Coordinates of all heavy atoms in Angstrom, one line a residue:
P180 N 4.4 68.0 17.0 CA 3.9 66.8 16.4 C 4.5 66.6 15.0 O 4.6 65.4 14.5 CB 2.4 67.1 16.3 CG 2.2 68.1 17.4 CD 3.4 68.9 17.4
A181 N 4.8 67.7 14.3 CA 5.3 67.6 12.9 C 6.7 66.9 13.0 O 7.0 66.0 12.2 CB 5.4 68.9 12.3
L182 N 7.5 67.3 14.0 CA 8.8 66.7 14.1 C 8.7 65.2 14.5 O 9.5 64.4 14.0 CB 9.6 67.4 15.2 CG 10.2 68.8 14.8 CD1 10.8 69.5 16.0 CD2 11.2 68.7 13.7
A183 N 7.8 64.9 15.4 CA 7.6 63.5 15.8 C 7.1 62.6 14.6 O 7.6 61.5 14.4 CB 6.5 63.4 16.9
L184 N 6.2 63.1 13.8 CA 5.8 62.4 12.6 C 6.9 62.2 11.6 O 7.0 61.2 10.9 CB 4.6 63.1 11.9 CG 3.3 63.0 12.7 CD1 2.2 63.9 12.0 CD2 2.8 61.6 12.9
T185 N 7.7 63.3 11.5 CA 8.9 63.2 10.5 C 9.9 62.1 11.0 O 10.4 61.3 10.2 CB 9.6 64.6 10.5 OG1 8.7 65.6 10.0 CG2 10.8 64.5 9.5
A186 N 10.1 62.1 12.3 CA 11.1 61.1 12.8 C 10.5 59.7 12.7 O 11.2 58.8 12.3 CB 11.4 61.4 14.3
L187 N 9.2 59.5 12.9 CA 8.6 58.2 12.8 C 8.6 57.8 11.3 O 8.9 56.6 11.0 CB 7.1 58.3 13.3 CG 6.3 57.0 13.2 CD1 7.0 55.9 13.9 CD2 4.9 57.2 13.7
G188 N 8.2 58.7 10.4 CA 8.3 58.4 9.0 C 9.7 58.0 8.5 O 9.8 57.0 7.8
A189 N 10.7 58.7 9.0 CA 12.1 58.4 8.6 C 12.4 57.0 9.1 O 13.1 56.2 8.4 CB 13.0 59.4 9.1
A190 N 12.0 56.7 10.3 CA 12.4 55.4 10.9 C 11.7 54.3 10.1 O 12.3 53.2 9.9 CB 11.9 55.3 12.4
V191 N 10.5 54.5 9.7 CA 9.7 53.4 9.0 C 10.4 53.2 7.6 O 10.6 52.1 7.2 CB 8.2 53.8 8.8 CG1 7.5 52.9 7.8 CG2 7.6 53.7 10.2
V192 N 10.7 54.3 6.9 CA 11.3 54.2 5.6 C 12.7 53.6 5.7 O 13.1 52.8 4.9 CB 11.4 55.6 4.9 CG1 12.3 55.5 3.6 CG2 10.0 56.1 4.6
G193 N 13.4 53.9 6.8 CA 14.7 53.3 7.1 C 14.6 51.8 7.3 O 15.5 51.1 6.8
L194 N 13.6 51.4 8.1 CA 13.5 50.0 8.3 C 13.2 49.2 7.0 O 13.7 48.2 6.7 CB 12.3 49.7 9.3 CG 12.7 49.8 10.7 CD1 11.4 49.7 11.6 CD2 13.7 48.8 11.2
R195 N 12.3 49.8 6.2 CA 12.0 49.2 4.9 C 13.2 49.2 4.0 O 13.4 48.2 3.2 CB 10.8 50.0 4.2 CG 9.5 49.9 5.0 CD 8.3 50.1 4.1 NE 8.1 49.0 3.2 CZ 6.8 48.5 2.9 NH1 5.8 49.2 3.4 NH2 6.7 47.5 2.2
A196 N 14.0 50.2 4.1 CA 15.2 50.2 3.2 C 16.2 49.1 3.6 O 16.8 48.4 2.8 CB 16.0 51.6 3.4
T197 N 16.3 48.8 4.9 CA 17.2 47.8 5.4 C 16.7 46.4 5.1 O 17.5 45.4 5.0 CB 17.5 47.9 6.9 OG1 16.2 47.7 7.6 CG2 18.1 49.2 7.3
A198 N 15.4 46.3 4.8 CA 14.8 45.0 4.5 C 14.9 44.7 3.0 O 14.5 43.5 2.6 CB 13.4 44.9 5.0
L199 N 15.3 45.6 2.2 CA 15.3 45.4 0.7 C 16.4 44.4 0.3 O 17.5 44.5 0.8 CB 15.5 46.7 0.0 CG 14.3 47.7 0.1 CD1 14.7 49.1 -0.5 CD2 13.0 47.2 -0.4
D200 N 16.1 43.6 -0.7 CA 17.1 42.7 -1.2 C 17.6 43.3 -2.5 O 17.1 44.3 -3.0 CB 16.4 41.3 -1.5 CG 17.4 40.2 -1.6 OD1 18.6 40.4 -1.4 OD2 17.0 39.1 -2.0
A201 N 18.6 42.6 -3.1 CA 19.2 43.1 -4.3 C 18.1 43.1 -5.4 O 17.2 42.3 -5.4 CB 20.3 42.1 -4.7
P202 N 18.1 44.1 -6.3 CA 19.1 45.1 -6.5 C 18.8 46.4 -5.8 O 19.4 47.4 -6.2 CB 19.1 45.3 -8.1 CG 17.6 45.1 -8.4 CD 17.1 44.1 -7.4
H203 N 17.9 46.4 -4.8 CA 17.5 47.7 -4.2 C 18.1 47.8 -2.8 O 17.5 48.5 -2.0 CB 16.0 47.8 -4.2 CG 15.4 47.7 -5.5 ND1 15.6 48.7 -6.5 CD2 14.6 46.8 -6.1 CE1 14.9 48.3 -7.6 NE2 14.3 47.2 -7.4
R204 N 19.1 47.1 -2.4 CA 19.6 47.1 -1.1 C 19.9 48.5 -0.6 O 20.6 49.3 -1.2 CB 20.9 46.3 -1.0 CG 20.7 44.8 -1.1 CD 22.0 44.1 -1.1 NE 21.8 42.6 -1.2 CZ 22.8 41.8 -1.4 NH1 24.0 42.2 -1.5 NH2 22.5 40.5 -1.6
L205 N 19.2 48.8 0.6 CA 19.4 50.1 1.3 C 19.1 51.3 0.4 O 19.7 52.4 0.5 CB 20.8 50.2 1.9 CG 21.1 49.3 3.0 CD1 22.6 49.3 3.4 CD2 20.3 49.6 4.3
S206 N 18.1 51.1 -0.5 CA 17.7 52.2 -1.3 C 16.6 53.0 -0.7 O 15.5 52.5 -0.5 CB 17.3 51.7 -2.7 OG 16.6 52.7 -3.5
A207 N 16.9 54.2 -0.2 CA 15.8 55.0 0.4 C 14.7 55.4 -0.5 O 13.5 55.4 -0.2 CB 16.4 56.3 0.9
R208 N 15.0 55.6 -1.8 CA 14.0 55.9 -2.8 C 13.0 54.7 -3.0 O 11.8 54.9 -3.0 CB 14.7 56.2 -4.1 CG 13.7 56.6 -5.2 CD 14.4 56.9 -6.5 NE 13.5 57.3 -7.6 CZ 12.8 56.4 -8.3 NH1 13.0 55.1 -8.1 NH2 11.9 56.8 -9.2
E209 N 13.6 53.5 -3.1 CA 12.7 52.3 -3.3 C 11.9 52.0 -2.0 O 10.8 51.6 -2.1 CB 13.6 51.1 -3.6 CG 12.9 49.8 -3.8 CD 12.0 49.8 -5.1 OE1 12.2 50.7 -6.0 OE2 11.1 49.0 -5.1
A210 N 12.5 52.3 -0.9 CA 11.8 52.1 0.4 C 10.6 53.0 0.5 O 9.6 52.7 1.0 CB 12.8 52.3 1.6
L211 N 10.8 54.3 0.0 CA 9.8 55.3 0.1 C 8.6 54.9 -0.9 O 7.5 55.0 -0.6 CB 10.3 56.7 -0.3 CG 9.3 57.8 -0.3 CD1 8.7 58.0 1.1 CD2 10.0 59.1 -0.7
V212 N 9.0 54.4 -2.1 CA 8.0 54.0 -3.1 C 7.2 52.8 -2.5 O 6.0 52.8 -2.6 CB 8.7 53.5 -4.4 CG1 7.8 52.8 -5.3 CG2 9.3 54.8 -5.1
R213 N 7.9 51.9 -1.9 CA 7.1 50.7 -1.4 C 6.3 51.1 -0.1 O 5.3 50.5 0.1 CB 8.1 49.6 -1.0 CG 8.9 49.0 -2.2 CD 9.5 47.7 -1.9 NE 10.3 47.2 -3.0 CZ 10.9 46.0 -3.1 NH1 10.7 45.2 -2.1 NH2 11.6 45.7 -4.2
S214 N 6.8 52.1 0.6 CA 6.0 52.5 1.8 C 4.7 53.1 1.3 O 3.6 52.9 2.0 CB 6.8 53.6 2.6 OG 8.0 53.0 3.1
V215 N 4.7 53.9 0.2 CA 3.5 54.5 -0.3 C 2.6 53.4 -1.0 O 1.4 53.4 -0.9 CB 3.8 55.6 -1.3 CG1 2.6 56.2 -2.0 CG2 4.6 56.7 -0.6
A216 N 3.2 52.5 -1.7 CA 2.5 51.5 -2.5 C 1.9 50.4 -1.6 O 0.9 49.7 -2.0 CB 3.4 50.8 -3.5
D217 N 2.4 50.2 -0.4 CA 2.0 49.2 0.6 C 1.6 49.8 1.9 O 2.3 49.7 2.9 CB 3.1 48.2 0.7 CG 2.7 47.1 1.7 OD1 1.4 46.8 1.9 OD2 3.6 46.5 2.4
P218 N 0.4 50.6 1.9 CA 0.1 51.3 3.2 C -0.2 50.3 4.3 O 0.1 50.7 5.5 CB -1.2 52.0 2.8 CG -1.7 51.3 1.6 CD -0.5 50.8 0.8
R219 N -0.7 49.1 4.1 CA -0.9 48.2 5.2 C 0.4 47.8 5.9 O 0.5 47.8 7.1 CB -1.6 46.9 4.7 CG -1.9 45.9 5.7 CD -2.6 44.7 5.2 NE -3.9 45.1 4.6 CZ -4.8 44.2 4.1 NH1 -4.4 42.9 4.0 NH2 -5.9 44.6 3.6
G220 N 1.4 47.5 5.1 CA 2.7 47.1 5.6 C 3.3 48.3 6.3 O 3.9 48.2 7.4
T221 N 3.1 49.5 5.8 CA 3.7 50.7 6.4 C 3.0 51.0 7.7 O 3.7 51.3 8.7 CB 3.5 51.9 5.5 OG1 4.2 51.7 4.2 CG2 4.0 53.2 6.1
L222 N 1.7 50.8 7.8 CA 1.0 51.0 9.1 C 1.5 50.0 10.2 O 1.6 50.3 11.3 CB -0.5 50.8 8.9 CG -1.1 52.0 8.2 CD1 -2.6 51.7 8.0 CD2 -1.0 53.3 9.0

Side-chain angles (χ1 to χ4, degrees):
L182 286 174
L184 290 175
T185 300
L187 178 58
V191 169
V192 172
L194 277 175
R195 296 202 76 143
T197 61
L199 295 175
D200 198 9
H203 303 294
R204 288 176 182 169
L205 290 171
S206 170
R208 181 180 181 278
E209 181 66 20
L211 182 59
V212 169
R213 295 197 185 190
S214 296
V215 175
D217 178 29
R219 180 179 298 181
T221 299
L222 285 176

